[in-house]
């Protein structure tokens, strides 16, 4: 197991390095520079500024400098907000994004799986059709439309919840709901179809022949196997929630990472672009790693660590 | 009375889009304490449906027991609730299935799967005791190192071993009936022989009655005390193993026997397959279902169901050739096929 984790760690490092390199050079390939839009910079000031941020150096030298600071977990200063570092931006914005993202993800996983199971157990019944109609809507309506709809109906018309911003748990409900809709729908559909398939398996008949109760059969024998495909797509869903949250944060005026990420690209704020990209991809890679471990725990046929002679 | 299972005139059908499949159309047979009763017949004749009906494991919908009774120790299983039935499944009547590769849950350990049956039916038993019993049972069915093996998963066992595990699992609560639905069909020949020996040994040790479902007459010859021959959802002939093998009366039984190699006949005799195929169970024929394939079919066979005739003690057959008026034909036939 340790050997496997070690191996995975090295490959994760390599992946991150590739992402850093690609982002770095792609970012610099975009025309423009952080100081283009600032009207009142004369040439001397701009030169000085560029020198300060090493932007006057050869691209490869800049790359070297960036890698070096990255190894010390330093994402550098923000060019636009010169008094703050990227690390500070991350520590300010990320906890909020993380809260929103994990609430949305948790909600979509729990209710998606529950909905999928109920639909499968009431196969071709009213619950099944209802749940799957909802799922199709959830998948096909983009989250920003869902968000606007929720705001209009729940917040503006019914006045049940606040319209926007991030102050209390009440403020969290609408954005989390909007964000979780499509992953919830995807999980529900996948759980349903995989559950339906598992329920026809021979080992379910064996479990019934043992005299187990339907509850035990579903929870102990069927669910474990039915969740395997769901776990596989969890990584992709995490990525979808992460990127989706940028849009949702913008709509609900939530001070998370989304605002920095979007504005940093417009401003060519190189360190912020790099910092957020590297941070998010590292997070995603780590989560995918966790998914793999979870898969190995649930399915004994998948050996994370190869033992000889089996 | 030591009859523990008495199936009477069982009818089972499946509602499908194409209509109602009458998979079992009036099956009757009995099982006595500690004996082995075989149910043989071609693929699709309703053997598995009969077996699963006894356990009430027929998927419902679409399947349904439409009439008949299944008396187990005097109680009619067709009338009791699902909850009551659950107490019987796995503790009084157990079942093992054809494909050991898919019949065990791949994500649970063998130990877990064996002990859960004990814990389900005997709530007073502790986990430790259950594990001990599972371990003993594994040893009983011939698995070495049972203690370590309990912690392993199904994929770490071969097909033959998995069938042994299935047998252990079925027997761990000391049932009085074990239903084995083609337990050796998916295994290769040497393993088949071992599993058959295992069944014999287990029956000697525990006195469990076995309902052996198979289309392999070789298995039947080695194991069964009595045989029920099924055709198109009905039992067409039943009797002791020696009666069925040496004095078969139904042309279908003879046909089945003609397709297995026999060591007691001259070498080089060709195997004779039965021509044609079984009837459509959506609309079963009014008369004898076998008449369209039967070389001795008479007019009456197409028009009326044959009644049951007692040939010898415990040997019964449903065939018009048994009728007084058909006697000559019958005599002629026996000489022709068994000379
Ligand atoms: N779930 C079902 N839905 C519809 N028809 C079914 C169903 N299960 C069984 N049948 C029908 O019942 C009939 C008997 O099937 P059964 O499985 O008992 O055959 P069998 O004698 O066990 O054959 P085999 O040797 O192939 O196992 C078949 O004609 C089959 O089409
Ligand atoms: Mg069958």
């Amino acid at each position: 197991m340790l050997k496997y984790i070690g191996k995975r760690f090295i490959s994760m490092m390599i992946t991150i390095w590739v992402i850093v390199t690609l982002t770095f050079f792609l970012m610099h390939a975009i025309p423009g520079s952080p100081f283009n839009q600032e009207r009142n910079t004369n040439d001397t000031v701009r030169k000085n500024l560029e020198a300060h941020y090493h932007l006057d150096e050869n691209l490869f030298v800049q790359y070297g400098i960036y890698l070096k600071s990255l190894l010390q977990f330093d994402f550098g200063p923000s060019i636009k907000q010169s008094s703050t570092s990227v690390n500070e931006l991350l520590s300010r914005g990320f906890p909020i994004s993380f809260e929103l993202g994990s609430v949305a993800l948790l909600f979509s996983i729990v209710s998606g799986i529950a909905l999928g199971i109920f639909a499968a157990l009431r196969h071709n019944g009213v619950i099944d059709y209802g749940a799957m109609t909802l799922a199709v809507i959830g998948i096909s309506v983009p989250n920003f439309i869902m968000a606007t709809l929720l705001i209009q109906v729940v917040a503006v018309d019914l006045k049940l919840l606040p319209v926007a911003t991030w102050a209390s748990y009440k403020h969290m409900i609408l954005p989390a709901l909007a964000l979780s809709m499509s992953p919830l729908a995807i999980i529900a559909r996948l759980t349903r179809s995989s559950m339906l398939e598992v329920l026809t398996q021979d080992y379910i008949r064996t479990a019934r022949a043992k005299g187990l109760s339907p509850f035990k059969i579903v929870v102990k024998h069927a669910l474990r196997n039915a969740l395997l495909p769901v776990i596989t797509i969890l990584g992709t869903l995490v990525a979808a929630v992460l990127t989706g949250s940028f849009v949702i944060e913008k709509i609900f005026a939530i001070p998370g990472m989304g605002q920095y990420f979007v504005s940093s690209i417009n401003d060519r704020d190189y360190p912020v672009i790099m910092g957020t990209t590297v941070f998010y991809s590292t997070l995603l890679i780590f989560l995918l790693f966790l998914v793999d471990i979870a898969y190995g725990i649930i399915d004994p046929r998948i050996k994370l660590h190869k033992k000889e002679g089996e | 009375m030591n009859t523990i299972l008495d199936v009477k005139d069982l009818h089972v059908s499946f509602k499908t889009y194409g209509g109602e499949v009458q998979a079992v159309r009036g099956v009757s047979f009995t099982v006595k304490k500690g004996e082995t009763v075989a149910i043989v017949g071609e693929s699709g004749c309703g053997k598995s449906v009969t077996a699963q009906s006894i356990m009430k494991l027929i998927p419902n919908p679409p399947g349904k027991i439409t009439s008949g009774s299944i008396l187990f120790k005097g109680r009619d299983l067709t009338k009791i609730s699902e909850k009551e039935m659950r107490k019987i499944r796995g503790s009084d009547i157990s079942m093992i299935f054809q494909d050991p590769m898919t019949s065990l849950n791949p994500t649970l350990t063998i130990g877990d799967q064996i002990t859960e049956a004990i814990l389900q039916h005997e709530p007073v038993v502790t986990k430790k005791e259950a594990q001990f019993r599972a371990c003993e049972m594994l040893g009983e069915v011939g698995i070495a190192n049972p203690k370590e093996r309990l912690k392993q998963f199904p994929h770490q066992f071969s097909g033959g071993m998995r069938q042994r595990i299935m047998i252990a699992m079925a027997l761990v609560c000391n049932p009085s009936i074990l239903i084995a639905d083609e337990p050796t069909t998916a295994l290769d020949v040497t393993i088949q022989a071992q599993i058959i020996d295992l069944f014999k040994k287990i029956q000697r040790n525990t006195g469990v009655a076995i309902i052996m479902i198979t289309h392999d007459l070789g298995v039947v010859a080695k194991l069964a005390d009595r045989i029920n021959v099924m055709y198109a959802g009905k039992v067409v002939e039943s009797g002791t193993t020696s009666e069925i093998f040496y004095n078969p009366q139904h042309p279908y039984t003879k046909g089945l026997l003609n397709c297995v190699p026999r060591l007691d006949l001259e070498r080089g005799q060709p195997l004779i397959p039965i021509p044609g195929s079984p009837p459509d169970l959506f609309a079963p024929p009014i008369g004898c279902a076998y008449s369209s394939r039967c070389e001795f079919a008479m007019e009456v066979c197409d028009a009326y169901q044959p009644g049951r005739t007692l040939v010898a003690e415990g040997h019964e057959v449903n065939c018009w050739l048994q009728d007084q008026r058909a006697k000559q034909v019958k005599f002629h036939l026996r000489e022709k096929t068994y000379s």
Side-chain angles (χ1 to χ4, degrees):
Chain A
M1 192 67 187
L2 271 179
K3 203 173 155 197
Y4 171 76
I5 292 179
K7 258 192 201 159
R8 263 311 280 265
F9 185 75
I10 292 171
S11 83
M12 275 157 66
M13 284 297 126
I14 294 174
T15 317
I16 292 170
W17 172 73
V18 171
I19 291 172
V20 169
T21 311
L22 279 178
T23 321
F24 188 86
F25 288 105
L26 280 175
M27 180 179 77
H28 282 277
I30 309 172
S33 100
F35 309 110
N36 271 357
Q37 289 111 323
E38 307 211 12
R39 284 172 212 152
N40 53 355
T41 39
N42 61 39
D43 269 4
T44 347
V45 174
R46 210 188 72 214
K47 284 242 164 64
N48 279 339
L49 279 169
E50 285 187 350
H52 177 72
Y53 293 110
H54 305 291
L55 292 175
D56 54 347
E57 309 257 14
N58 176 304
L59 201 53
F60 288 95
V61 177
Q62 289 186 40
Y63 174 66
I65 293 169
Y66 188 76
L67 277 189
K68 206 174 136 201
S69 68
L70 201 57
L71 283 178
Q72 294 153 349
F73 299 103
D74 180 8
F75 290 119
S78 165
I79 296 177
K80 210 69 193 175
Q81 291 159 277
S82 39
S83 55
T84 41
S85 71
V86 177
N87 290 45
E88 278 168 353
L89 287 186
L90 279 172
S91 60
R92 210 184 298 153
F94 181 66
I96 298 174
S97 295
F98 179 76
E99 207 175 350
L100 174 63
S102 39
V103 167
L105 202 62
L106 211 67
F107 176 71
S108 60
I109 292 173
V110 172
S111 19
I113 289 175
L115 204 63
I117 293 173
F118 277 116
L121 293 182
R122 297 276 172 274
H123 183 40
N124 286 340
V126 183
I127 296 182
D128 188 17
Y129 285 123
M132 285 311 111
T133 312
L134 276 181
V136 170
I137 295 172
I139 289 175
S140 41
V141 177
N143 56 19
F144 54 88
I145 295 188
M146 191 63 84
T148 355
L149 267 175
L150 284 174
I151 292 175
Q152 181 63 39
V153 176
V154 183
V156 178
D157 294 346
L158 300 174
K159 295 194 172 35
L160 290 176
L161 289 167
V163 174
T165 71
W166 194 251
S168 68
Y169 283 105
K170 270 189 177 170
H171 290 78
M172 210 188 274
I173 297 176
L174 287 188
L177 211 57
L179 191 53
S180 62
M181 263 324 155
S182 94
L184 189 156
I186 293 171
I187 292 176
R189 277 171 60 101
L190 193 62
T191 307
R192 172 184 177 270
S193 62
S194 135
M195 192 76 185
L196 279 179
E197 198 201 304
V198 166
L199 285 175
T200 63
Q201 295 293 312
D202 287 349
Y203 55 80
I204 296 297
R205 191 179 55 189
T206 308
R208 291 220 294 146
K210 271 187 240 179
L212 301 185
S213 64
F215 180 77
K216 254 206 182 133
I217 291 173
V218 168
V219 172
K220 190 171 170 191
H221 285 266
L223 199 53
R224 247 179 123 89
N225 292 286
L227 286 188
L228 288 175
V230 179
I231 291 171
T232 341
I233 62 150
L234 228 47
T236 332
L237 289 185
V238 171
V241 168
L242 287 181
T243 46
S245 77
F246 292 163
V247 180
I248 295 294
E249 282 173 15
K250 190 105 194 156
I251 295 174
F252 285 91
I254 296 167
M257 277 318 290
Q259 48 172 351
Y260 302 124
F261 194 68
V262 176
S263 60
S264 69
I265 293 174
N266 287 332
D267 296 342
R268 307 284 186 278
D269 195 341
Y270 293 145
V272 178
I273 301 179
M274 282 305 292
T276 39
T277 312
V278 171
F279 182 76
Y280 269 84
S281 33
T282 309
L283 183 71
L284 190 62
I285 288 170
F286 180 67
L287 288 172
L288 288 176
F289 169 64
L290 286 188
V291 165
D292 276 359
I293 301 241
Y295 206 85
I297 290 172
I298 290 195
D299 191 346
R301 285 166 298 185
I302 292 174
K303 279 270 167 289
L304 295 182
H305 49 119
K306 275 229 174 65
K307 240 191 234 164
E308 297 307 317
E310 276 191 0
Chain B
M1 266 310 281
N2 56 4
T3 297
I4 46 175
L5 187 77
D6 189 356
V7 178
K8 278 188 199 148
D9 198 29
L10 183 71
H11 285 76
V12 184
S13 52
F14 293 90
K15 283 215 166 64
T16 65
Y17 288 114
E20 198 170 305
V21 185
Q22 300 176 28
V24 171
R25 309 181 296 136
V27 162
S28 304
F29 65 94
T30 59
V31 179
K32 294 198 187 71
K33 222 171 162 177
E35 73 171 345
T36 301
V37 173
I39 300 179
V40 298
E42 274 169 298
S43 189
C45 70
K47 306 182 296 288
S48 298
V49 172
T50 306
Q52 287 174 26
S53 302
I54 297 169
M55 292 285 269
K56 296 233 281 185
L57 283 177
I58 296 287
N60 178 12
K64 196 169 185 292
I65 297 178
T66 47
S67 68
S69 62
I70 300 166
L71 294 176
F72 173 68
K73 294 183 172 166
R75 281 165 90 195
D76 188 350
L77 300 186
T78 60
K79 299 222 161 57
I80 67 175
S81 70
E82 171 63 20
K83 210 172 156 198
E84 287 294 309
M85 195 60 219
R86 247 183 266 145
K87 287 187 195 149
I88 291 176
R89 277 186 210 132
S91 80
D92 292 309
I93 308 177
S94 298
M95 184 157 179
I96 55 181
F97 302 95
Q98 177 167 346
D99 192 353
M101 301 312 273
T102 56
S103 293
L104 288 163
N105 191 327
T107 57
L108 298 174
T109 62
I110 298 305
D112 203 354
Q113 296 187 56
I114 300 178
T115 50
E116 75 177 343
I118 308 175
L119 297 171
Q120 176 76 27
H121 295 291
E122 298 163 47
V124 288
V125 174
T126 65
K127 227 177 176 154
K128 247 211 163 109
E129 285 168 352
Q131 237 146 24
F132 179 74
R133 267 169 65 182
C135 198
E136 260 188 349
M137 203 66 228
L138 274 192
E140 186 84 1
V141 297
I143 289 193
N145 294 328
K147 206 155 179 198
E148 281 76 62
R149 289 301 217 167
L150 279 180
K151 295 184 205 113
Q152 296 190 332
F153 291 93
H155 70 274
Q156 290 162 302
F157 294 84
S158 68
M161 272 154 113
R162 289 193 210 183
Q163 198 59 294
R164 286 171 192 269
I165 292 165
M166 286 295 293
I167 295 171
M169 208 157 81
L171 292 173
V172 79
C173 292
N174 298 314
S176 33
I177 300 179
L178 173 65
I179 304 175
D181 190 352
E182 313 216 17
T184 59
T185 309
L187 306 173
D188 67 55
V189 187
T190 45
I191 309 289
Q192 273 184 16
Q194 291 173 10
I195 296 287
I196 289 169
D197 287 341
L198 178 61
F199 274 111
K200 280 190 193 160
K201 178 187 139 194
I202 273 164
Q203 194 165 44
R204 258 201 322 272
N205 294 351
T206 64
V208 65
I210 298 176
I211 301 178
M212 179 65 61
I213 292 170
T214 179
H215 50 239
D216 183 348
L217 288 168
V219 173
V220 174
K222 288 189 203 122
L223 277 175
D225 298 307
R226 289 189 300 121
I227 299 175
N228 294 288
V229 181
M230 269 188 84
Y231 185 78
K234 282 175 181 288
V235 174
V236 293
E237 183 163 10
S238 62
T240 61
T241 304
S242 59
E243 276 284 326
I244 297 290
F245 272 88
Y246 298 108
N247 186 23
Q249 293 298 317
H250 201 286
Y252 177 63
T253 313
K254 292 178 191 178
L256 280 183
L257 289 169
N258 280 338
C259 358
V260 282
R262 286 178 60 165
L263 292 177
D264 56 337
L265 294 182
E266 258 177 80
R267 295 188 64 170
Q269 292 219 356
L271 299 179
I272 311 160
I274 304 175
S277 53
D280 182 7
L281 293 175
F282 282 112
I286 323 161
C288 171
Y290 189 61
S291 67
S292 61
R293 297 168 80 184
C294 180
E295 54 177 317
F296 312 105
M298 301 169 286
E299 265 174 49
V300 64
C301 298
D302 288 326
Y304 298 98
Q305 291 278 344
R308 194 140 251 252
T309 317
L310 191 67
V311 180
E313 173 67 30
H315 183 182
E316 292 179 67
V317 64
N318 287 42
C319 179
W320 279 117
L321 293 175
Q322 300 296 323
D323 195 271
Q324 299 282 324
R325 290 154 282 180
K327 205 138 205 168
Q328 293 153 314
V329 183
K330 176 197 145 203
F331 206 59
H332 171 61
L333 139 87
R334 282 193 55 204
E335 287 200 329
K336 193 171 152 197
T337 44
Y338 274 82
S339 51

